[in-house]
Amino acid sequence: DMKDLTKEQVGKVYKVRYWDRVQADALPIGIDFLATSFAINAGSGTSAKLLQKCINAVPDGMIGPRTLQTIAGVDPKELIEKLL
């Protein structure tokens, strides 16, 4: 039952289901938070696709090496503005 989960258990669920699925550890600061927040609200695949569309990558819903490489070459501030 959800109401019986501890904060630690909830944190683990959020990390595995959202943070890790959008590769947030590999994303620039700010983009990591936005991608995770969007994943929580719309799903990790949808979040990844939005991020990929913002960088003109193929929106396959999986943040992998190519997406991360493209993100590394983008101004984080501009990408944050596009995501918002």
Side-chain angles (χ1 to χ4, degrees):
D1 195 17
M2 294 296 289
K3 65 182 178 181
D4 294 328
L5 292 176
T6 66
K7 287 183 181 183
E8 182 177 294
Q9 290 169 319
V10 171
K12 287 179 183 178
V13 169
Y14 273 66
K15 182 171 183 333
V16 171
R17 290 194 177 181
Y18 306 108
W19 184 266
D20 290 347
R21 287 192 182 166
V22 296
Q23 303 295 325
D25 284 328
L27 296 173
I29 294 172
I31 297 167
D32 57 353
F33 174 78
L34 288 175
T36 301
S37 179
F38 197 72
I40 291 165
N41 289 292
S44 59
T46 302
S47 177
K49 286 178 185 178
L50 173 66
L51 183 56
Q52 290 167 324
K53 286 178 184 179
C54 288
I55 60 169
N56 297 316
V58 175
D60 64 5
M62 298 295 293
I63 298 176
R66 286 185 183 169
T67 299
L68 292 172
Q69 183 178 14
T70 303
I71 290 170
V74 175
D75 178 0
K77 184 178 177 184
E78 288 179 19
L79 182 51
I80 288 169
E81 289 173 1
K82 284 182 181 181
L83 286 167
L84 292 174

